Amino acid sequence: MDLVQQIIARAKSNKQRIVLPEAEEERTLTAADRVLAEDIANLILIGNPEKVHALADRLGLKNIDKATLINPENCEKSEEYAQLLAELRKKKGMTIEEARKLVRNPLYLGCMIIKTGDADGQISGALSTTGDTLRPALQIIKTQPGITCVSGAMLMLTQTPQYGENGILVIGDVAVTPMPDANQLAQIAVCTAQTAKSVAGFEEPRVAMLSFSTKGSATHEVVDKVIEATKLAKEMAPDLKIDGELQADASLVPTVGQKKAPGSEIAGRANVLVVPCLEVGNIAYKLVERLGGAVALGPILQGIARPVNDLSRGCSVDDIYKMVAITACQAMDAK
């Protein structure tokens, strides 16, 4: 059973309630039909019922009636949600009138459903920008306790089983925070290790804090940041297996790790890689994907108190289908 099958099996074993606020979008509805047919999650679809059913009929979808369908224009809990949203945002000056308007926005409505305990996670982005996806999540659901930095992890399924966890690696941050400081980088490390456990199923995440230096082989303020972040991550999560600063080869290749970082329990054995900035992460995973033939799954947003994931507007039906299962696995761990 490959990793994607494992993720799907885990989602099926403990079905979560996942909101799809872009239910009037063709790829999203097609993916929803597949999820419902395979009984992977309980879905809450947000959209105009007439448009959703008409689209389902045109596409020949047979399982949409298994989902809960909510019309954002006349949701029976709209006033309850508006009152709560106004209370949550009153320090920012939000009025009840503004809140009533916002809860008709499917992205805000989905987050309110999660906030009140009626759903476990949300996926959007087939139609919406990353900013539009994240804004209501951060305003309503907020971040995990002790976390202020949202980040994105990528699952890399490589053809090199001698590295990582039988060829599987989790890399963060590849999606959100351009230039994290030491504290943010420490948070990214802890969150990426959590993703490795909840989604990739790693029993023991082993985190390498990457740099162009290994254990003092070079000096620079960027290296200092990684060293400080490693220290802070250990304080945040004392049981986490983590080491840094390590170069990429020292983190993955046992012989190199033993030579460059003797005595390290991570060097040569890492299955989670934390890069020093977004630029490095984004470039690295795309090079590995294109030149190394790896399969990249994600990015998976992390650090939010309940999972809210972002899709590319160029996503496929298969991408959405897989992200539902990934979000469900995150939701189990978030409870």
Side-chain angles (χ1 to χ4, degrees):
M1 186 183 294
D2 66 20
L3 179 60
V4 173
Q5 292 173 321
Q6 291 173 23
I7 290 169
I8 291 168
R10 203 176 305 129
K12 286 183 176 181
S13 72
N14 185 359
K15 287 171 62 180
Q16 303 293 298
R17 302 162 299 173
I18 306 300
V19 182
L20 298 178
E22 298 170 327
E24 296 175 21
E25 196 275 328
E26 183 172 315
R27 293 162 296 170
T28 301
L29 199 62
T30 303
D33 187 77
R34 184 178 172 190
V35 167
L36 293 165
E38 297 182 20
D39 207 26
I40 293 171
N42 296 316
L43 296 185
I44 299 169
L45 306 179
I46 299 180
N48 180 289
E50 290 185 6
K51 292 181 179 179
V52 170
H53 287 303
L55 180 58
D57 289 344
R58 180 169 67 80
L59 296 172
L61 306 179
K62 305 298 184 184
N63 298 282
I64 297 304
D65 287 341
K66 296 178 183 178
T68 298
L69 181 56
I70 295 177
N71 188 340
E73 292 300 325
N74 60 10
C75 172
E76 63 180 19
K77 292 188 175 182
S78 286
E79 184 60 22
E80 175 188 336
Y81 293 151
Q83 294 289 341
L84 176 56
L85 179 57
E87 177 65 23
L88 289 170
R89 302 292 293 166
K90 67 180 181 181
K91 291 183 179 179
K92 298 295 183 179
M94 181 173 289
T95 65
I96 185 62
E97 289 78 15
E98 291 170 332
R100 285 171 178 148
K101 181 178 179 181
L102 278 177
V103 298
R104 292 198 298 271
N105 178 320
L107 300 180
Y108 274 84
L109 177 56
C111 287
M112 291 305 305
I113 294 171
I114 294 169
K115 183 69 174 180
T116 54
D118 292 328
D120 304 303
Q122 176 167 294
I123 304 162
S124 61
L127 293 174
S128 310
T129 66
T130 297
D132 287 342
T133 293
L134 278 176
R135 193 173 303 109
L138 294 176
Q139 290 178 0
I140 296 166
I141 302 172
K142 305 185 185 300
T143 54
Q144 297 173 16
I147 300 296
T148 60
C149 173
V150 175
S151 56
M154 190 70 70
L155 305 186
M156 301 301 297
L157 284 57
T158 78
Q159 300 178 35
T160 53
Q162 68 270 35
Y163 301 134
E165 199 75 13
N166 196 30
I168 300 168
L169 292 153
V170 185
I171 304 177
D173 173 21
V174 301
V176 182
T177 304
M179 192 61 67
D181 59 25
N183 182 265
Q184 291 172 322
L185 194 59
Q187 294 178 39
I188 290 168
V190 172
C191 290
T192 306
Q194 290 174 347
T195 297
K197 291 184 72 172
S198 64
V199 179
F202 291 2
E203 290 185 12
E204 182 185 70
R206 299 182 296 275
V207 183
M209 303 293 282
L210 297 187
S211 178
F212 60 84
S213 169
T214 296
K215 299 298 182 179
S217 65
T219 57
H220 191 275
E221 61 184 15
V222 174
V223 177
D224 293 340
K225 179 181 78 170
V226 175
I227 294 170
E228 177 66 14
T230 304
K231 175 187 172 184
L232 293 172
K234 289 178 179 178
E235 293 172 357
M236 288 178 62
D239 294 333
L240 180 63
K241 292 187 180 300
I242 183 170
D243 199 8
E245 84 285 16
L246 295 170
Q247 290 165 293
D249 58 351
S251 71
L252 294 173
V253 185
T255 54
V256 177
Q258 290 166 12
K259 183 177 181 179
K260 292 187 174 184
S264 170
E265 65 176 346
I266 301 301
R269 301 180 62 243
N271 53 22
V272 176
L273 306 178
V274 176
V275 298
C277 66
L278 175 58
E279 184 176 40
V280 172
N282 191 271
I283 292 170
Y285 96 75
K286 288 179 179 177
L287 286 175
V288 173
E289 182 182 25
R290 300 299 179 181
L291 300 180
V295 174
L297 295 180
I300 302 164
L301 295 184
Q302 48 191 25
I304 305 170
R306 291 291 182 272
V308 174
N309 276 307
D310 179 40
L311 299 159
S312 163
R313 278 171 283 178
C315 64
S316 67
V317 170
D318 197 51
D319 292 333
I320 302 169
Y321 164 83
K322 290 174 183 174
M323 191 56 77
V324 170
I326 287 170
T327 305
C329 289
Q330 286 181 288
M332 293 178 211
D333 196 53
K335 291 183 177 180

